[in-house]
Amino acid sequence: AQSVSQHNHHVILSEAASLELGCNYSYGGTVNLFWYVQYPGQHLQLLLKYFSGDPLVKGIKGFEAEFIKSKFSFNLRKPSVQWSDTAEYFCAVSSGGYNKLIFGAGTRLAVHP
Amino acid sequence: NAGVTQTPKFRILKIGQSMTLQCTQDMNHNYMYWYRQDPGMGLKLIYYSVGAGITDKGEVPNGYNVSRSTTEDFPLRLELAAPSQTSVYFCASSSGGSGNTIYFGEGSWLTVV
């Protein structure tokens, strides 16, 4: 069965620090990869997605992620975080035709001013 | 621009009671999903549907039922509520299968006491 691992459950950063959140998945076939963000009290929103092509994907709000097939990884990065980035971040993978997502456990990011 | 709408937002149930979580989307999406999110865990798929009249089980279907009589609506029924069903429930939809963005509702917080 597919699974998704997020390495950090809680991350605390100061504003302007750089961010990298790890994500690994366990599936050898063709996958689609996603990062979703959940701001406090809000629903999940898509940050970025990878289906094919350039393994470096740029998303909204200055986020980017790099797909490294040999490492089964899809790490999320942002060069300089803001207080407004405080949220929970979920990595997810789908394969097959029905677009069913398998989620990681999430990483709670707290950014201090 | 409503998107995916879930009701109720909050509900407290007693053990053994039944209830229905309502979900409707106004994007004419064929694919709809129900996920649950437990503390410290990623979202897990309960049921999904690829069109009116078609439903299938996800990863954690026990204790739940769904129906899909129209494209817009995808209600989730809890029969004989149990404390293990205390969770946050998210409805989602997408226009198609692999490669399509999934849009989430704002969530329904359910507590079974």
Side-chain angles (χ1 to χ4, degrees):
Chain A
Q2 294 179 49
S3 65
V4 177
S5 298
Q6 293 184 238
H7 311 304
N8 311 97
H9 292 293
H10 292 93
V11 173
I12 301 173
L13 294 173
S14 298
E15 276 193 318
S18 64
L19 170 72
E20 181 160 3
L21 301 181
C23 173
N24 287 90
Y25 63 95
S26 65
Y27 184 68
T30 301
V31 294
N32 300 317
L33 297 158
F34 306 81
W35 275 97
Y36 278 86
V37 61
Q38 188 176 25
Y39 297 104
Q42 296 187 26
H43 61 95
L44 279 81
Q45 302 172 39
L46 181 67
L47 265 182
L48 49 80
K49 59 186 179 183
Y50 172 80
F51 293 149
S52 63
D54 189 344
L56 185 61
V57 180
K58 294 193 183 299
I60 61 171
K61 305 187 180 187
F63 287 90
E64 65 178 31
E66 185 176 12
F67 170 53
I68 303 179
K69 189 174 182 179
S70 61
K71 295 184 177 180
F72 297 90
S73 71
F74 190 55
N75 293 353
L76 181 71
R77 299 194 293 249
K78 186 172 184 178
S80 176
V81 296
Q82 302 172 321
W83 176 79
S84 58
D85 292 323
T86 294
E88 189 159 18
Y89 293 81
F90 293 94
C91 182
V93 61
S94 74
S95 66
Y98 296 127
N99 220 9
K100 296 182 288 183
L101 293 176
I102 306 294
F103 282 87
T107 298
R108 287 187 181 271
L109 171 66
V111 180
H112 294 303
Chain B
N1 195 3
V4 180
T5 303
Q6 296 179 229
T7 57
K9 198 170 181 67
F10 300 96
R11 182 74 187 267
I12 299 174
L13 275 182
K14 294 185 179 179
I15 294 171
Q17 286 185 321
S18 300
M19 76 160 295
T20 299
L21 296 175
Q22 302 292 344
C23 176
T24 187
Q25 51 90 10
D26 62 359
M27 297 175 282
N28 201 33
H29 285 172
N30 285 322
Y31 286 54
M32 295 188 75
Y33 312 83
W34 274 106
Y35 288 87
R36 60 177 285 173
Q37 181 184 20
D38 298 321
M41 308 280 287
L43 282 71
K44 294 191 182 299
L45 183 64
I46 305 171
Y47 270 95
Y48 67 102
S49 168
V50 299
I54 306 169
T55 62
D56 205 349
K57 296 178 181 178
E59 189 180 358
V60 289
N62 292 342
Y64 307 95
N65 279 299
V66 293
S67 60
R68 185 92 183 272
S69 57
T70 67
T71 298
E72 295 79 19
D73 300 308
F74 190 41
L76 177 72
R77 178 89 177 154
L78 281 72
E79 305 282 2
L80 299 174
S84 61
Q85 293 178 303
T86 294
S87 190
V88 184
Y89 292 84
F90 289 95
C91 182
S93 74
S94 74
S95 59
S98 179
N100 288 279
T101 298
I102 297 175
Y103 298 88
F104 285 83
E106 294 189 345
S108 296
W109 275 254
L110 176 66
T111 301
V112 181
V113 297

